[in-house]
């Protein structure tokens, strides 16, 4: 079974989520910004719910424009230390060769930035 990877790009304007399983897109979402206070469990529960839905652990890749936005997602503590649970792990990015191009889901705009983050994951 291919690994589930959730790429989260958080900016003061919006939060974009791309969930992939291997080279295939599973889910795309454009959510409101977390610059305004969000519930502290919103980010962790999003990762956990996808893990439970697919019955496998999620690797969360998080990109944020500031430490405040990163902390607001609830996936890192106030010192920037990534969280890891039974259902998900937040990992830093490493350079890697791009994976094969998989099935793409139409709609919701351009997700090139999230795909670029996904391709830079270490294996």
């Amino acid at each position: 079974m291919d690994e589930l990877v959730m790429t989260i790009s958080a900016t003061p304007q919006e939060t974009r989520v791309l969930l992939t399983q291997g080279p295939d897109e599973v889910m795309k979402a454009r959510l409101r910004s977390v610059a305004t206070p969000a519930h502290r469990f919103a980010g962790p529960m999003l990762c956990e719910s996808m893990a439970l839905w697919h019955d496998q652990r999620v690797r969360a890749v998080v990109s944020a424009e500031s430490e405040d936005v990163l902390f607001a997602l609830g996936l890192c503590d106030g010192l920037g230390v990534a969280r890891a649970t039974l259902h998900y792990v937040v990992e830093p990015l490493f350079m890697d060769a791009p994976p094969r191009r998989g099935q793409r889901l139409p709609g919701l705009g351009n997700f090139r930035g999230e795909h670029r983050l996904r391709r830079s994951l270490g294996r």
Side-chain angles (χ1 to χ4, degrees):
M1 186 180 310
D2 288 327
E3 178 181 33
L4 275 177
V5 177
M6 181 177 288
T7 305
I8 303 170
S9 296
T11 67
Q13 294 77 34
E14 69 179 354
T15 302
R16 294 165 59 96
V17 179
L18 174 65
L19 182 65
T20 58
Q21 188 167 30
D24 300 322
E25 293 179 347
V26 177
M27 181 187 76
K28 286 182 179 180
R30 290 176 57 189
L31 307 172
R32 75 173 181 86
S33 166
V34 293
T36 56
H39 193 283
R40 65 185 176 139
F41 294 129
M45 289 181 84
L46 176 62
C47 291
E48 189 172 320
S49 65
M50 289 298 102
L52 293 171
W53 190 273
H54 291 276
D55 196 26
Q56 71 180 93
R57 195 171 195 196
V58 170
R59 176 192 274 184
V61 180
V62 182
S63 172
E65 287 187 356
S66 72
E67 288 182 9
D68 292 337
V69 174
L70 185 62
F71 178 68
L73 286 170
L75 298 173
C76 294
D77 66 13
L79 299 175
V81 177
R83 298 185 193 270
T85 71
L86 175 66
H87 299 292
Y88 66 89
V89 61
V90 179
E91 294 185 12
L93 298 175
F94 298 99
M95 296 308 290
D96 196 6
R100 76 167 175 85
R101 185 173 175 91
Q103 174 186 347
R104 300 290 186 243
L105 300 175
L108 296 179
N110 182 331
F111 274 70
R112 281 189 203 111
E114 288 74 19
H115 282 291
R116 206 170 18 258
L117 286 171
R118 167 68 175 91
R119 286 191 300 267
S120 64
L121 278 176
R123 299 242 175 226

